[in-house]
Amino acid sequence: VRSVRAARYVTPLREGGSLPAIVEGDDDGLYVAKFRGAGQGAKALVAEVIAGELARAAGLAVPELVALELDPALGRNEPDYEIRMLLKASAGVNLGVDYLPGSVTFDPVVGPAPDAALASLVVALDAWVANVDRTARNTNLLLWHRKLWVIDHGAALGFHHAWDAARDTARAPFPLVKDHVLLPWAGALPAAVAALKARAPREAVEAAVAAVPDAWLSGEGPFAEPAAQRAAYVAHLTRRLEASDLWLEEAERARAALV
Ligand SMILES: Nc1ncnc2c1ncn2[C@@H]1O[C@H](COP(=O)(O)OP(=O)(O)OP(=O)(O)O)[C@@H](O)[C@H]1O
Ligand SMILES: [Mg+2]
């Protein structure tokens, strides 16, 4: 991912549990900044980059992700205490998501209904990366330029909160798929899984994992160095895609239960 320096804190976003904000970059672009110092921590940012880049590899529309460099001086004059503390705790590399001006949140009641191939691809991706955050209440889908964009993958890759068990969760169904907002339209799941496998081979997984800045992989857990942690992400995700039958079956079952 590109590196961009944060030039100005523009405004906090009204929605969003992690106090995301609109930030102007030194390239004059506007970004939705997701801060390393937020409660969700660096792992949420790791999940954003890996799942986001996998979504892009799969052919979904994803806003560009950048490494957003934050100077500690940026928030010094910020009047809001909570924001000032957040910026102080986030000096260094944060996540920038290309801001889509005028986009609207996808609402399943309002539509438009996505076609089966697209809905299935989103459901398959989310089952693969175990993204629990694409429900009717919180769709994390934006409509922009008549296309559906996927955002907010910070809650994916839950296995990285328990590396000891990660070997088992690599071969596990994803029961929460039953709450996926696009499940009712996902009438082409087997083809979507095949597309995932074709478009996101091991090299694509390696590339997505390589896109994570070292600063977010700080020799945590059983890992002495970032390279070992990257290898563990790649191993888990490739194993999980090989075991797609398990979560595909679970998704089909959940879909059948909808009607
Ligand atoms: N790239 C973007 N362009 C335009 N608006 C965006 C973009 N990214 C996020 N938003 C808006 O900001 C909101 C919060 O962003 P996001 O969901 O990524 O943050 P969050 O803190 O993880 O939220 P939550 O945990 O509440 O789902 C989104 O629901 C959307 O309305
Ligand atoms: Mg969100």
Side-chain angles (χ1 to χ4, degrees), residues 13-20 22 31-32 34 40 48 63-64 97-105 133 138 140-142 151-155:
L13 279 169
R14 224 163 284 281
E15 304 164 64
S18 61
L19 275 186
I22 296 179
Y31 298 91
V32 171
K34 311 214 77 183
Q40 288 80 348
E48 288 267 14
E64 185 191 0
V97 184
D98 187 30
Y99 179 64
L100 309 181
S103 59
V104 297
T105 300
D133 249 0
N138 189 6
N140 289 314
L141 294 167
L142 299 178
I151 60 159
D152 190 4
H153 301 100

Side-chain angles (χ1 to χ4, degrees), residues 73-98:
L74 191 88
R76 208 174 282 157
N77 298 321
E78 170 59 44
D80 184 287
Y81 175 79
E82 204 181 350
I83 294 170
R84 202 162 62 241
M85 289 302 113
L86 178 61
L87 295 178
K88 195 174 168 191
S90 304
V93 188
N94 297 274
L95 176 70
V97 184
D98 187 30

